[in-house]
Amino acid sequence: MQLSDIEIKRLMIDTAEMAAKKALIEVGQLKPYLTLKEAQRIHGEYTVNRWINEGLLKPIKDGARNCKVRIDRIQLDAVAATSNRASWYKHNMTE
């Protein structure tokens, strides 16, 4: 499969952005995790919940009951940067 120049450029930009965020996390300038509410504010409540239900995002809960749910920032950005329509179709149309 051949990628177009536009697809290659987009892939390179996405890779550079992810590497920059990872570097900022490693030097302590960016939080490695977002709360579920923060993630939902950025990408939309429905979208984040769908990604969790489809298994694309793995929420982290450190305790029981009222504990905040955390989302790995890099994982969230990776899911948001990729097309996930295929996973939605597979999840919703095969049930």
Side-chain angles (χ1 to χ4, degrees), residues 58-92:
K58 306 287 187 243
I60 303 163
K61 192 168 182 180
D62 295 323
R65 296 194 224 177
N66 300 6
C67 293
K68 284 187 178 180
V69 175
R70 298 181 296 143
I71 304 291
D72 182 278
R73 182 184 295 268
I74 298 295
Q75 184 183 37
L76 177 67
D77 289 345
V79 170
T82 60
S83 174
N84 54 52
R85 290 284 105 202
S87 66
W88 178 89
Y89 184 83
K90 180 180 177 185
H91 184 266
N92 288 290

Side-chain angles (χ1 to χ4, degrees), residues 3 7 12 16-18 30 35 42 46 54 63-64 67 69-70 75 84 88 93:
L3 295 177
E7 291 171 321
M12 291 174 69
E17 287 175 357
M18 292 289 235
L30 201 57
T35 65
I42 294 167
Y46 173 81
E54 291 174 7
C67 293
V69 175
R70 298 181 296 143
Q75 184 183 37
N84 54 52
W88 178 89
M93 302 313 246

Side-chain angles (χ1 to χ4, degrees), residues 5-77:
D5 289 344
I6 293 171
E7 291 171 321
I8 292 170
K9 183 178 179 181
R10 184 72 238 164
L11 184 60
M12 291 174 69
I13 290 169
D14 288 345
T15 303
E17 287 175 357
M18 292 289 235
K21 284 184 182 180
K22 189 168 179 8
L24 289 171
I25 289 169
E26 288 177 2
V27 297
Q29 294 297 311
L30 201 57
K31 297 186 306 184
Y33 298 98
L34 298 174
T35 65
L36 178 60
K37 291 292 181 196
E38 289 171 327
Q40 290 171 335
R41 223 175 287 123
I42 294 167
H43 296 287
E45 182 178 352
Y46 173 81
T47 301
V48 172
N49 291 342
R50 181 173 57 82
W51 290 339
I52 290 170
N53 291 335
E54 291 174 7
L56 299 172
L57 282 179
K58 306 287 187 243
I60 303 163
K61 192 168 182 180
D62 295 323
R65 296 194 224 177
N66 300 6
C67 293
K68 284 187 178 180
V69 175
R70 298 181 296 143
I71 304 291
D72 182 278
R73 182 184 295 268
I74 298 295
Q75 184 183 37
L76 177 67
D77 289 345

